[in-house]
Amino acid sequence: MRKMEDLISINYVKLLIIALFYTCVSCSSVEKKIYVELNDTVPCVRLLNATHQIGCQSSMSGDTGVLHVLESEEDLDWILNTGPHPPYMIVMETAFFNRSVMLRMKNSSRVSGVAVIVSKTGLAENFSPHTTCPNQNTGVYSASYGPELANCNVTAWNPLGNGLSYEDFSFPVFALKDENQTQVIRKCYEEHNLRVNGSAPQYPLCAMQLFSHMHAVTDTVTCMRRTDLQNRFSINPEVMCDPLSDFNVWSSTRPLNNSAKGHKANESVVIAATRLDGRSFFWEEAPAAEGTVSGIVTLLAAVHALQPVTQQAPPPRNIFFTFFQGEAFDYIGSSKMVYDMERNEFVIDLDNVHSMLEIGQVGLRSGRNLWMHSDPVSLTNSSVMDEVTKMTDNMQSIADGLHISLAKLNVTQPLPPSSLQRFLRVRPIPGLVLADHQTSFINRYYESVYDDAENLNVSYPPNLSPDEQLVFETEEAKSLAEVATLVARSLYKQAGGEERNLNNITADPRIVAQLLYGFLIQKNNSWFRSLLPPEVTKKGANSILSSGPPQFYIGVGPRNIGPVHSVTRFVQYIMANLTGAATNLTETQCQNPESKDLFSYFWVSGPSSVNSSGEPFCVRAPVRLAKAVSPAFERMEYGSRDYSTWTESRWKSIRARVFLVASRELEMLTLGVGVAVLLLSLMVTYFISSKADLLFSSARETPTTTY
């Protein structure tokens, strides 16, 4: 009898488990029927510096609102004033995504979130969410250095900037990139929320919920203090925010001993620099075509053009190429390199620096001049003045031979936002910034999602295959190849190279075309794959070779794919392949060479043939990475006014979904019925429990007595 009871109990437990399993599956199925998840979305996240917080966030449980598509001024009035179903979740085209509309929503309690359809439809003639004076407080101009030039008093470099990226929104703002999901949202809106003859729609209504709760608040000082306290006293510390950080990439025509830091005797270098990063209003959505890519492509092409000549006829001075990361956020990369040079913790110091040429925005010069910008304050130093004059004269004569329109400024004007300013904060270094603008930027989409390939007029004839597009020489490729030739020849001459070798230095427009395609159109291409390690190319969509162009937002290092940001990795390996030499080392020897003092070693995939993948091999090149993190975090001076203090908030969930919502009355009725059922269940349970002996007693068995 006992075995039978145990068997029944076991079967009962099994049935209970099976029932619970099917209940969970059913719940999941019901959730999928209720909610439509929006996958290809990009949030606006919270960033902090020493004094402020900017960006966007949702409440902890996400923000929900009745969906309304903003298409006219009448819609905006309905949302902010007369609509009977607040709060509203706004879906808008790019034409309405501007400062005035966003600030009206920010100041209204009737808006719970915004979703922006990122498309070219209705795109404004200009849109820059950055400020009018980029990196205003961390450049060289201040009350003690050129005070009349400080705060963009002479030149507003980005007059189209509306400062939207520097506002703090208490509701979530997402970008919608998937056209199919955008159509789903529109269909839901038109079927349930569309007004008929001006009358309010009836329930059920289409609603949207956005999740982007941020852990950090107030400013970097507060956030880092809380994080430090967590690290000291909590068993499971919770990080609130992370410093923006990554790596600079640098190389030189003559290898430098990387194990010996500080001053190099008898070593004079000409620095050729550009920046690696950009940003926009939305997280990790920064195509940065004119703002960043034009400079990267130009300098890489110049490096490639210089390589054979500097090996055959090396100039007296070394040419030091560097790509600075994090410059959009108060010069993170350049300030770190200068800081290390001052403390003898870099491969060279400031005494080794002879002069500097920086490549700024040069992609929109078609039909316009290129301009050489210099610092008027340091020109009061006679030796700096002499060297800058020599640089400008040399570049002018080279440009004349290339039929490039190049001019220098005849008015007193400060340097545009540039890494050179961080060097000038320490000492007067002769330097020029090459750009396609005389005064204000001609880039209409500076630091926005629309500074893309189209902004640079990079387009391809129809019916070209991806491999054909990769090598197609667009007009922009030819233009940047000319600029790269100018830069390469100027650097060689500035380094003391013989003039008879200048005509042997010419940038290859095919290389420029491949770089533009990889950085602006498709990073997962045959050329980029051949330059990277085999393990990266085999990961497919989960690697840095996912579909589409790379994004140039600096990020926070470990949260990016791998220990190094994808753009940094691309530039590092492109530099290695353009300037390095193939070796006979095996993979093991390549990854663990006997010495890394003068060279780095890279195991790369190699070009693929028609029938098979390429054979991997080892490349030796003087290409290095240097940490790009603000000195403020090394010094733990989170309120610093001299260095960048930008951090990015941590979060747990970023997602968006659409669903139908019932009226408030129906929700309250459902709640009331549920509470009533609960109370009735409790009463029935109590009654049954109190009468259990009576209800569940069994007749006593008559004992059998054996005599």
Side-chain angles (χ1 to χ4, degrees), residues 134 157-158 274-275 288-295 298 358-365 369-371 373 416-417 433-437 440-447 451 455-456 480 483:
W157 294 109
N158 186 37
T274 194
R275 74 177 197 173
E290 158 74 344
T292 301
V293 174
S294 62
T298 299
E358 182 171 351
I359 317 304
Q361 301 180 80
V362 293
L364 295 175
R365 77 175 188 91
N369 291 339
L370 280 175
W371 297 89
H373 296 262
V433 176
L434 187 66
D436 56 18
H437 53 89
S440 303
F441 300 158
I442 60 176
N443 183 4
R444 298 174 298 145
Y445 302 111
Y446 181 73
E447 303 291 35
D451 186 12
N455 190 32
L456 283 186
L480 287 182
V483 180

Side-chain angles (χ1 to χ4, degrees), residues 600-638:
S600 297
Y601 294 81
F602 305 86
W603 187 251
V604 300
S605 299
S608 58
S609 62
V610 177
N611 298 321
S612 63
S613 60
E615 290 295 328
F617 61 94
C618 185
V619 172
R620 185 190 70 183
V623 178
R624 306 280 183 178
L625 297 179
K627 188 66 177 175
V629 60
S630 172
F633 297 101
E634 290 192 359
R635 297 158 64 103
M636 299 183 72
E637 296 175 357
Y638 306 133

Side-chain angles (χ1 to χ4, degrees), residues 145-194:
Y145 189 100
E148 70 281 2
L149 306 175
N151 302 312
C152 294
N153 289 331
V154 174
T155 303
W157 294 109
N158 186 37
L160 300 176
N162 58 34
L164 201 58
S165 290
Y166 289 82
E167 291 291 335
D168 181 33
F169 293 95
S170 59
F171 52 74
V173 182
F174 278 49
L176 305 176
K177 299 176 62 180
D178 190 317
E179 290 187 7
N180 293 330
Q181 292 190 341
T182 301
Q183 292 302 318
V184 170
I185 294 171
R186 283 191 176 277
K187 183 179 179 181
C188 185
Y189 169 75
E190 290 170 359
E191 291 181 352
H192 299 278
N193 295 15
L194 195 62

Side-chain angles (χ1 to χ4, degrees), residues 216-449:
V217 293
T218 309
D219 51 41
T220 290
V221 178
T222 303
C223 180
M224 294 303 293
R225 183 180 70 245
R226 292 176 179 177
T227 298
D228 290 343
L229 287 173
Q230 287 272 346
N231 290 333
R232 290 179 185 178
F233 301 111
S234 177
I235 298 176
N236 297 309
E238 183 177 0
V239 177
M240 305 296 176
C241 60
D242 302 280
L244 296 180
S245 63
D246 195 62
F247 292 86
N248 298 324
V249 183
W250 65 268
S251 181
S252 55
T253 52
R254 282 198 304 272
L256 295 168
N257 189 340
N258 193 51
S259 62
K261 306 296 184 182
H263 184 71
K264 296 285 192 296
N266 302 318
E267 187 74 72
S268 178
V269 303
V270 176
I271 295 179
T274 194
R275 74 177 197 173
L276 273 178
D277 70 306
R279 64 167 301 191
S280 78
F281 184 84
F282 299 103
W283 179 68
E284 287 201 336
E285 191 69 18
E290 158 74 344
T292 301
V293 174
S294 62
I296 293 176
V297 170
T298 299
L299 189 53
L300 285 173
V303 170
H304 178 253
L306 280 166
Q307 175 64 14
V309 177
T310 54
Q311 299 307 305
Q312 296 168 8
R317 298 187 189 95
N318 206 346
I319 305 176
F320 183 92
F321 308 101
T322 180
F323 298 79
F324 291 120
Q325 184 64 273
E327 298 301 274
F329 291 93
D330 293 329
Y331 307 116
I332 293 174
S334 55
S335 62
K336 170 61 173 170
M337 184 173 287
V338 171
Y339 179 74
D340 287 345
M341 285 181 177
E342 288 183 283
R343 301 170 71 233
N344 291 321
E345 292 182 358
F346 193 63
V347 67
I348 56 174
D349 68 1
L350 290 167
D351 290 331
N352 292 124
V353 178
H354 173 267
S355 52
M356 183 171 175
L357 175 62
E358 182 171 351
I359 317 304
Q361 301 180 80
V362 293
L364 295 175
R365 77 175 188 91
S366 179
R368 299 181 177 90
N369 291 339
L370 280 175
W371 297 89
M372 296 175 287
H373 296 262
S374 58
D375 169 43
V377 179
S378 61
L379 291 181
T380 57
N381 182 307
S382 58
S383 61
V384 173
M385 180 66 177
D386 292 342
E387 193 59 47
V388 170
T389 301
K390 180 181 175 182
M391 289 178 70
T392 55
D393 290 344
N394 286 340
M395 290 190 72
Q396 187 70 68
S397 64
I398 292 170
D400 293 340
L402 294 171
H403 306 293
I404 292 178
S405 298
L406 180 66
K408 62 180 178 179
L409 299 173
N410 295 319
V411 297
T412 300
Q413 180 177 274
L415 281 171
S418 52
S419 305
L420 175 57
Q421 292 198 30
R422 293 302 304 192
F423 286 81
L424 291 173
R425 282 174 64 112
V426 179
R427 65 173 58 186
I429 292 175
L432 293 175
V433 176
L434 187 66
D436 56 18
H437 53 89
Q438 179 182 8
T439 54
S440 303
F441 300 158
I442 60 176
N443 183 4
R444 298 174 298 145
Y445 302 111
Y446 181 73
E447 303 291 35
S448 82
V449 294

Side-chain angles (χ1 to χ4, degrees), residues 427-486:
R427 65 173 58 186
I429 292 175
L432 293 175
V433 176
L434 187 66
D436 56 18
H437 53 89
Q438 179 182 8
T439 54
S440 303
F441 300 158
I442 60 176
N443 183 4
R444 298 174 298 145
Y445 302 111
Y446 181 73
E447 303 291 35
S448 82
V449 294
Y450 306 114
D451 186 12
D452 54 12
E454 188 172 323
N455 190 32
L456 283 186
N457 298 316
V458 175
S459 59
Y460 301 89
N463 304 321
L464 288 185
S465 68
D467 284 338
E468 290 171 333
Q469 290 181 345
L470 175 64
V471 297
F472 182 80
E473 296 177 13
T474 62
E475 291 302 314
E476 180 66 16
K478 296 173 184 177
S479 174
L480 287 182
E482 292 179 342
V483 180
T485 300
L486 168 66

